[in-house]
Amino acid sequence: MRDRATDAVPEMTPEPAPEAISELSGRVRAAVAHLYSRFRSERAHGEIGDAAVFALTQLLKAGPLSLSELSDRAHVTPGSMSQTVNRLTAGGLAVRGRDPHDGRRVLFSLTAEGDRLASEVRAQRVGWLNGRLAELTDDERAVLSRAAAVLERIADS
């Protein structure tokens, strides 16, 4: 005798209406942009600009990087990133050096002051976000955890 339950065809999920997708897309974009803007505004008085903070934190996380690697990570032109690293090196926050594996290639790395500033900025921003997350309920944090996984999957696609 055959078991009809195992022969069943899986139920298909109906495709969402384009209007619903557009509305959700707009809400996600607006929420991410607003959160990013709010996150960026959490800075110490006199902190350097966003492009410089980005470059410093990339160097903090990854170690020495070339101009093209930094510009690729920031999704900016090498010319734009060149201005940023020139300000960082002039300010004593980063230094230029030769790649030990390819002497023609220039790598940027943090100075002790650049490392200190990048760590401080990162700690301040992480602290702000952690504080906001701590104010949420357990259920809200669980929802955000699931949403973060979905957003990561979308970003990686």
Side-chain angles (χ1 to χ4, degrees), residues 8-137:
V9 176
E11 193 173 310
M12 299 298 288
T13 305
E15 191 167 315
E19 302 83 31
I21 294 295
S22 291
E23 180 181 338
L24 178 59
S25 173
R27 289 184 65 206
V28 169
R29 285 191 320 272
V32 168
H34 189 171
L35 180 60
Y36 182 66
S37 176
R38 181 67 175 89
F39 189 68
R40 286 179 22 207
S41 73
E42 286 301 315
R43 64 173 71 200
H45 179 68
E47 184 182 304
I48 60 177
D50 292 330
V53 168
F54 180 84
L56 287 176
T57 57
Q58 290 302 301
L59 294 172
L60 180 68
K61 287 192 249 181
L65 294 169
S66 70
L67 182 68
S68 63
E69 289 168 329
L70 281 167
S71 60
D72 287 348
R73 287 169 180 239
H75 304 287
V76 299
T77 65
S80 178
M81 185 54 69
S82 179
Q83 292 175 2
T84 299
V85 295
N86 285 340
R87 285 192 302 274
L88 293 175
T89 57
L93 301 173
V95 292
R96 288 176 174 83
R98 293 285 171 198
D99 184 333
H101 305 292
D102 181 353
R104 299 167 296 170
R105 198 173 117 152
V106 174
L107 296 177
F108 295 90
S109 57
L110 294 177
T111 62
E113 179 62 15
D115 187 278
R116 184 202 61 74
L117 180 60
S119 297
E120 182 181 296
V121 168
R122 181 173 166 82
Q124 182 174 354
R125 290 181 175 184
V126 168
W128 173 82
L129 183 57
N130 287 353
R132 300 305 68 75
L133 293 174
E135 295 169 354
L136 301 177
T137 66

